[in-house]
Amino acid sequence: MDYGILGQLHVAGRPGVSAPRARKIETLLAVLLVKRNQVVPTEHLIGELWGEHRPARASAALYVYVSQLRKLLRGTGSDDSPVVTSPRGYSLRVSAGELDADRFTRLYELGRSRYWDRDYPEAAAVLREAAELWRGEAFGGFTDSPDVQAYAALLEETRLECLELLMETELLIGRHREVVGQLSALAKEHTLRETFYEYLMTALLRSNRRAEALETFASARQNLVQQLGVEPGSSLRKLHHRILAGEMSDAV
């Protein structure tokens, strides 16, 4: 099976298998993917699906949704389904490599290891492969389940850490001109993430675009002051000072 949550929920890998379209079944699958290979108690699933507004026969309704999900994931020509029933609740069997989020995490950890080994070209290649697994917001911006919300937030933070390390590594191997566009987009999308401003200023400075680097600092300062009421951090201020002083530093 192939499960995708780094974007709109996606299921493939068997003939006739498809992602659910009904919202409750989609929520059920998302929760089971978050808790993959664990038994999720019936009562917990009911809470995730309905919150405080559970129907009178919530257990029966859950049973119906599980049956429908089991059928969707079984596909055609097979009696086997990854949805497993236990006395306490339900679980979803997910093997190694079947979930894109697990593949992303493994690649990120490998890239980080290559970075610490100072194998920067290999680190950049692996980190880029990890970042390219993302097709949009985790779970397509899904907000119905507290479990899914929490896991999506964790994945997003890890994605940003991956992108920061990727951009740093690209600068270390001299690809400053190649990453200016991506860094510019990241800085505009994540206006409070100072690291992206710092790397963008560095890339612009090394590309002989000093005026744009100074404009980037001004934009960063405006966003931070207006949205948080704080000045840029010391690292960003020091880089700004070096640019004003005309220093062409090779440090990231």
Side-chain angles (χ1 to χ4, degrees), residues 39 43 55 66-67 93 107 109 130 132 149-150 196 215 219 232:
V39 175
E43 192 63 22
V66 169
S67 297
R93 293 193 310 262
L107 286 168
E109 291 174 350
E132 288 176 351
Q149 285 183 48
F196 290 137
E215 289 174 2
S219 176

Side-chain angles (χ1 to χ4, degrees), residues 1 3 14 32-33 36-38 73 80-85 91-95 98:
M1 294 286 283
Y3 300 100
R14 288 183 180 180
L32 290 175
L33 283 168
R36 54 198 174 279
N37 300 316
Q38 305 174 49
L73 298 184
D80 181 48
S81 173
V83 180
V84 179
T85 302
S91 62
L92 181 69
R93 293 193 310 262
V94 178
S95 300
E98 288 188 328

Side-chain angles (χ1 to χ4, degrees), residues 23 122 228:
R23 194 63 169 180
E122 178 66 15
L228 296 180

Side-chain angles (χ1 to χ4, degrees), residues 3-245:
Y3 300 100
I5 62 174
L6 303 181
Q8 200 70 35
L9 192 60
H10 167 81
V11 182
R14 288 183 180 180
V17 166
S18 63
R21 296 181 181 180
R23 194 63 169 180
K24 291 298 184 187
I25 305 177
E26 184 182 25
T27 303
L28 174 62
L29 175 57
V31 174
L32 290 175
L33 283 168
V34 170
K35 303 289 188 180
R36 54 198 174 279
N37 300 316
Q38 305 174 49
V39 175
V40 187
T42 298
E43 192 63 22
H44 184 81
L45 286 172
I46 289 172
E48 291 294 310
L49 264 63
W50 289 285
E52 298 178 355
H53 307 289
R54 61 185 63 193
R57 302 186 64 216
S59 294
L62 174 62
Y63 177 83
V64 171
Y65 291 145
V66 169
S67 297
Q68 292 174 345
L69 177 61
R70 180 177 284 116
K71 182 178 179 181
L72 282 171
L73 298 184
R74 182 183 298 123
T76 58
S78 173
D79 294 327
D80 181 48
S81 173
V83 180
V84 179
T85 302
S86 75
R88 293 177 48 241
Y90 304 93
S91 62
L92 181 69
R93 293 193 310 262
V94 178
S95 300
E98 288 188 328
L99 180 65
D100 59 357
D102 289 339
R103 297 196 296 273
F104 163 74
T105 300
R106 282 195 293 273
L107 286 168
Y108 171 51
E109 291 174 350
L110 177 60
R112 188 168 53 183
S113 175
R114 294 290 183 270
Y115 169 87
W116 289 117
D117 290 340
R118 298 177 182 269
D119 186 356
Y120 299 129
E122 178 66 15
V126 174
L127 292 167
R128 177 71 67 182
E129 185 180 354
E132 288 176 351
L133 287 174
W134 285 76
R135 299 169 286 109
E137 289 184 86
F139 296 97
F142 193 91
T143 60
D144 290 6
S145 155
D147 278 353
V148 175
Q149 285 183 48
Y151 188 56
L154 175 63
L155 285 172
E156 174 62 15
E157 180 59 30
T158 307
R159 182 181 79 92
L160 291 175
E161 291 172 2
C162 176
L163 287 168
E164 286 179 344
L165 190 59
L166 171 61
M167 293 297 100
E168 178 183 348
T169 307
E170 295 279 32
L171 291 175
L172 285 168
I173 60 177
R175 290 175 51 83
H176 41 273
R177 295 183 188 275
E178 290 86 346
V179 298
V180 164
Q182 185 174 5
L183 279 168
S184 179
L186 288 168
K188 289 177 181 177
E189 182 180 359
H190 305 282
T191 56
L192 303 181
R193 203 92 177 184
E194 292 190 43
T195 305
F196 290 137
Y197 291 120
E198 182 180 348
Y199 292 166
L200 175 58
M201 290 168 64
T202 301
L204 289 167
L205 184 61
R206 292 180 184 176
S207 303
N208 298 317
R209 297 162 67 175
R210 179 175 178 273
E212 291 173 72
L214 292 172
E215 289 174 2
T216 297
F217 177 81
S219 176
R221 182 179 183 278
Q222 182 181 37
N223 287 329
L224 291 165
V225 170
Q226 288 183 348
Q227 296 182 55
L228 296 180
V230 300
E231 292 288 336
S234 61
S235 183
L236 207 55
R237 294 199 309 272
K238 288 177 182 177
L239 177 57
H240 180 236
H241 177 75
R242 290 201 301 269
I243 297 173
L244 289 174

